[in-house]
Amino acid sequence: MGRCEGAEVVNAEVGTRNAEQRGESLPPRDLRERTKVFALAIVRLVDALPRSRAADVIGHQLLRAGTSVAANYRSARRARSRKEFLAKMGIVEEESDESSFWLELLLEAGLVSLGRASDLRDEAEQLVAITIASIHTAREGGRSVPRSAFRVPR
């Protein structure tokens, strides 16, 4: 893959280097915590939306997708097999991308300010990138996938 000249460099595990250099706070490094923080931010954003039919419908969809990211990542960490892990991470990828779409729609409809939704949209896109990288790594083999604490040994 080529890089665009002047494009911001992204390190998926710790956020953007530019934010780090500017001294801005970065999202938590632990992906479990990071997805939970994302879900809570989505909840707060949806609660602050104006009351209208469009905002209610889009907000409901965003709330479902945004909170699903954290729930499904948590579930993926308890996967009993590589196949189950990949399936759950696929859902995390889809829900992160869907969250990005709903945030974009809110912005373009003028239902939320750019400042309010742009950081969340960036985070959703970073979560998509991290998830895709995790899926590729898990498909290659190597390290074992996380195992459920509830798994009963044979």
Side-chain angles (χ1 to χ4, degrees):
M1 285 197 259
R3 286 192 183 182
C4 297
E5 197 63 33
E8 184 175 297
V9 178
V10 175
N11 179 340
E13 287 301 314
V14 296
T16 63
R17 286 186 191 167
N18 291 346
E20 203 169 48
Q21 290 170 350
R22 290 188 301 255
E24 296 175 4
S25 63
L26 294 172
R29 292 177 191 251
D30 175 48
L31 195 53
R32 183 176 181 208
E33 182 65 23
R34 189 170 172 172
T35 56
K36 184 177 177 183
V37 168
F38 177 74
L40 287 169
I42 292 291
V43 168
R44 290 183 187 108
L45 175 74
V46 170
D47 278 346
L49 287 175
R51 296 291 170 225
S52 70
R53 185 176 172 130
D56 289 346
V57 170
I58 296 169
H60 179 71
Q61 294 290 358
L62 175 59
L63 188 62
R64 291 176 57 98
T67 55
S68 178
V69 171
N72 280 290
Y73 179 71
R74 190 173 185 148
S75 180
R77 289 175 49 107
R78 296 209 174 267
R80 294 173 297 240
S81 68
R82 184 177 309 278
K83 188 175 180 180
E84 185 179 348
F85 177 79
L86 289 168
K88 296 288 185 181
M89 289 301 283
I91 295 169
V92 173
E93 176 190 351
E94 291 172 12
E95 298 294 343
S96 298
D97 187 54
E98 185 177 333
S99 296
S100 179
F101 169 76
W102 293 121
L103 287 162
E104 184 179 322
L105 202 59
L106 283 172
L107 278 166
E108 291 181 15
L111 297 170
V112 69
S113 69
L114 180 63
R116 182 85 194 215
S118 66
D119 287 344
L120 280 174
R121 202 167 107 207
D122 290 345
E123 180 68 356
E125 290 170 3
Q126 286 184 29
L127 290 172
V128 169
I130 293 167
T131 304
I132 290 170
S134 294
I135 290 169
H136 286 288
T137 301
R139 282 186 182 149
E140 290 172 5
R143 290 179 26 195
S144 65
V145 296
R147 299 290 181 200
S148 173
F150 301 116
R151 184 173 182 210
V152 178
R154 293 181 187 191

